[in-house]
Amino acid sequence: MSAVAAMPREAHVEYLLRLADNALVLGQQLGALVTRGPELEEEMATANFALDYIGQARFLLSHAAELQGEGRSEDDLAFLRDGFDFHNVLLVEQPSAHFGDVIVRQFLFDSFYCEQLRALTQSSDTRLAEIAARGVKEVGYHLHHTQAWVIRLGDGTDFSHKRVQESLDRLWRYTGELFDADATDRAASEAGVGPDPASLKPAWDAVINATLEEATLVRPAEQWMDGGGKQGRHSEHLGHLLTDMQFLQRAYPGAQW
């Protein structure tokens, strides 16, 4: 029996959906910010990053749909699931009141996601490994970009420093979920499909600490961490996002251009 076959199909599908939903929700978040950037170059970067995440989500959703074997498509999984059927982490669904929120959310997640994708290039699920190999190049550039902005804002004016520190303090409590393993994560790790999330934390800590030091920002103290997104327990923010994202398909089922 192969390593992939050793992972129960239901858990395997859920694991793929977690990866896909992170990318899909973050792509939707960034797409909604186009025309709201502080400069033209950032407008272009935001649009390109959104497309990168949506592209990754499409590959992952297609893989999950085929493995599920119920005749569903990537569009079905994106537009016809309710909020409790989404498995993204809470961090990516948090709203952005200003540009500092956008950058900090991206930085905290991309620092994790880049390490996760690197590990997934060695997945026993060969199709997932191929998707990860493509995605890690894109997310590596995203991380470089957001790191530069964190440093620019943190070590900038008193106002920008204050705003980005507030963003960091507010979003920090959603980072613990990135590294918490449940039964699905453990099944993926045991089957060689995905890494143990906790194994990614040392590299994440190193990137976070080095960047925050250069940005003259203070890493928040250890605190209670929020979670539950991977198990389908979400904040109200995901509901608002899905209302926008799924409206056309829900209003006109099966509509085609």
Side-chain angles (χ1 to χ4, degrees), residues 44-96:
M44 300 298 293
T46 298
N48 282 315
F49 291 174
L51 289 172
D52 286 343
Y53 286 119
I54 296 299
Q56 292 167 27
R58 290 190 63 190
F59 285 125
L60 290 161
L61 288 173
S62 292
H63 186 19
E66 290 176 17
L67 186 63
Q68 196 173 43
E70 297 177 1
R72 304 170 83 183
S73 68
E74 64 185 65
D75 287 340
D76 293 331
L77 291 176
F79 299 121
L80 300 180
R81 281 184 296 149
D82 293 322
F84 52 78
D85 291 321
F86 274 71
H87 300 280
N88 58 278
V89 294
L90 296 180
L91 176 62
V92 299
E93 69 190 48
Q94 298 310 302
S96 49

Side-chain angles (χ1 to χ4, degrees), residues 52 54 97 126-127 130 141-142 160 163 185 187 207 209 240 245-246 248:
D52 286 343
I54 296 299
T126 55
R127 184 167 174 185
E130 292 168 357
Y141 178 74
H142 299 178
S160 70
R163 294 297 292 274
D185 292 313
V207 172
N209 291 340
H240 298 315
M245 188 180 81
Q246 298 180 337
L248 185 62

Side-chain angles (χ1 to χ4, degrees), residues 170-193:
R170 183 178 68 81
L171 291 170
W172 189 258
R173 69 188 178 103
Y174 300 106
T175 59
E177 185 181 17
L178 300 172
F179 308 102
D180 285 341
D182 63 3
T184 299
D185 292 313
R186 288 189 288 272
S189 179
E190 291 168 2
V193 172

Side-chain angles (χ1 to χ4, degrees), residues 114-147:
C114 200
E115 294 302 322
Q116 185 182 43
L117 286 173
R118 287 194 184 106
L120 287 171
T121 62
Q122 304 302 313
S123 175
S124 57
D125 178 342
T126 55
R127 184 167 174 185
L128 177 56
E130 292 168 357
I131 296 170
R134 174 174 175 166
V136 72
K137 298 175 184 178
E138 297 170 341
V139 178
Y141 178 74
H142 299 178
L143 177 57
H144 176 76
H145 181 85
T146 54
Q147 279 181 295

